[in-house]
């Protein structure tokens, strides 16, 4: 089983630990399901691997993750123009944390592609340091965004579980677990997981 699928299923399980059938409406839950898919993908991008084939796959997965994250972030503005109030001065900190997470995700990808990579970094060690640091900022911002809102992860059990999952995945390179060292997920797999997961998410929240 792909690491991405494992991580995504665990994220959904954590979400459904408390009030699994209470949702915010079809559109609200669809958009937020994209956010959970994006979060799982970001965690997956931190997993260790090597080789030219992996690097290309990692890059394509990052692009797809950005696409899904942008969908999560800006669909609200299209569906409900009043949502712009959440990105103006005085907006909740967790909303700014979400936008900050998106910013660092974009930044981590930009410094990784040519010619920016060779222009910015003097050596591979410099690139690895900044790329990993921006990944940490991305994950921390996303966590604060999800937990600060309290929309789906409002209990101590859920908060502890999502934090444990994040720490476990981020430091899995030190654990050298076989299931987390396989070939990186493809954009097609991420999209299919997102569609299927969103359908399940919305069905449970709005039909059951």
């Amino acid at each position: 089983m792909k690491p991405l699928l494992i991580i995504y299923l665990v994220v959904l399980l954590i979400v459904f630990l408390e009030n699994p059938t209470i949702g915010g409406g079809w559109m609200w839950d669809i958009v937020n399901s994209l956010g959970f898919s994006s979060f799982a993908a970001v965690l997956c991008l931190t997993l260790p691997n090597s080789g030219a084939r992996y690097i290309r796959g990692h890059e394509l997965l990052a692009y797809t993750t950005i696409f899904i994250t942008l969908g999560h972030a800006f669909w609200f503005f299209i569906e409900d123009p009043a949502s712009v109030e959440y990105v103006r001065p005085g907006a909740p900190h967790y909303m700014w944390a979400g936008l900050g997470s998106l910013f660092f995700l974009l930044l981590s990808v930009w410094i990784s592609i040519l010619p920016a990579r060779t222009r910015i970094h003097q050596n591979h060690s410099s690139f690895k340091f900044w790329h990993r640091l921006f990944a940490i900022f991305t994950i921390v911002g996303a966590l604060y965004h999800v937990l600060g809102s309290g929309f789906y992860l409002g209990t101590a059990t859920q908060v502890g579980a999502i934090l444990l999952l994040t720490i476990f995945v981020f430091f899995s390179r030190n654990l050298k677990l076989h299931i987390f060292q396989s070939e990186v997920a493809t954009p097609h797999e991420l999209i299919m997981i997102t569609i299927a997961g969103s359908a399940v998410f919305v069905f449970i929240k709005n039909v059951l």
Side-chain angles (χ1 to χ4, degrees):
M1 185 179 292
K2 289 283 187 178
L4 173 61
L5 180 57
I6 296 174
I7 295 171
Y8 184 66
L9 290 176
V10 173
V11 169
L12 286 188
L13 176 62
I14 294 172
V15 172
F16 291 137
L17 284 177
E18 182 73 14
N19 298 321
T21 59
I22 297 179
W26 288 81
M27 188 58 64
W28 174 269
D29 291 327
I30 288 174
V31 178
N32 281 298
S33 70
L34 297 180
F36 288 118
S37 175
S38 173
F39 180 70
V42 167
L43 289 182
C44 188
L45 285 168
T46 69
L47 297 176
N49 219 309
S50 60
R53 184 178 180 182
Y54 166 76
I55 293 174
R56 179 55 177 167
H58 181 84
E59 180 182 352
L60 294 175
L61 183 63
Y63 294 150
T64 312
T65 301
I66 289 174
F67 174 76
I68 294 174
T69 306
L70 289 173
H72 166 70
F74 292 104
W75 196 342
F76 284 112
F77 302 138
I78 298 174
E79 178 67 21
D80 183 9
S83 298
V84 72
E85 295 297 328
Y86 284 98
V87 293
R88 288 178 175 173
H93 291 167
Y94 64 82
M95 290 302 299
W96 288 109
L99 291 174
S101 177
L102 174 58
F103 170 77
F104 282 111
L105 175 61
L106 293 169
L107 190 60
S108 66
V109 172
W110 178 70
I111 68 167
S112 305
I113 58 178
L114 298 174
R117 178 170 175 172
T118 55
R119 185 172 65 249
I120 297 172
H121 308 290
Q122 295 181 344
N123 50 57
H124 186 65
S125 296
S126 172
F127 162 71
K128 286 180 61 178
F129 172 81
W130 288 106
H131 192 58
R132 190 169 178 82
L133 182 64
F134 291 153
I136 293 173
F137 289 160
T138 299
I139 293 172
V140 171
L143 273 174
Y144 189 88
H145 174 65
V146 173
L147 299 179
S149 68
F151 293 140
Y152 297 95
L153 303 175
T155 69
T157 300
Q158 290 174 302
V159 171
I162 202 72
L163 289 175
L164 284 175
L165 172 65
T166 302
I167 294 171
F168 178 76
V169 172
F170 194 79
F171 290 99
S172 64
R173 63 182 64 245
N174 303 110
L175 301 175
K176 298 180 179 179
L177 297 178
H178 177 69
I179 60 170
F180 280 173
Q181 294 180 326
S182 59
E183 187 176 341
V184 67
T186 66
H188 177 263
E189 289 169 337
L190 174 55
I191 292 173
M192 293 306 297
I193 288 173
T194 299
I195 294 174
S198 296
V200 171
F201 187 90
V202 172
F203 179 80
I204 293 176
K205 289 290 184 182
N206 294 273
V207 178
L208 294 185

